[in-house]
Amino acid sequence: MADTLWIILGIAVLSAGTYLMRFGGAKLGNKLALSDRSQAMLNDAATTLLFAVALAATFFEGSHFAGSARVIGVAVAVFLAWRKMPLIVVIVAAAVVTAVLRYFGLH
């Protein structure tokens, strides 16, 4: 019961923080004048952060290696996204490749 309470509290804190960030961005966005270079750096920083999270999730599950099947599934997804396939095709193909590899014993 106590674990559930902590999870709900964590969700509430993250929800409030997300809302405040969005609200602050909407209110301050028009009042701050950033140069083109600063805006480009902020965009690059967001992309770099998302890439780092995706890379960590690809290779690690907790503190252990996630397995070759996941890495190959993500590689298939990256290839299909690069070939500009529809998102649903990318997701389903990556999931199927990963599942088939795990079925045949490659973890």
Side-chain angles (χ1 to χ4, degrees), residues 26-33:
K27 289 295 182 187
L28 293 176
N30 296 332
K31 297 180 186 211
L32 293 175

Side-chain angles (χ1 to χ4, degrees), residues 37-58:
R37 183 172 184 264
S38 296
Q39 289 179 348
M41 285 177 49
L42 286 174
N43 286 336
D44 290 344
T47 303
T48 303
L49 179 63
L50 288 173
F51 181 71
V53 170
L55 197 64
T58 298

Side-chain angles (χ1 to χ4, degrees), residues 86-103:
L87 181 61
I88 190 68
V89 172
V90 172
I91 293 169
V92 170
V96 167
V97 167
T98 303
V100 167
L101 290 173
R102 287 184 177 167
Y103 179 77

Side-chain angles (χ1 to χ4, degrees), residues 68-86:
S68 299
R70 182 186 293 181
V71 174
I72 293 169
V74 170
V76 167
V78 168
F79 175 75
L80 292 175
W82 173 64
R83 300 295 299 161
K84 299 192 186 310
M85 299 299 285

Side-chain angles (χ1 to χ4, degrees), residues 4-18:
T4 306
L5 183 62
W6 281 110
I7 290 172
I8 292 172
L9 182 63
I11 291 171
V13 168
L14 289 172
S15 299
T18 301

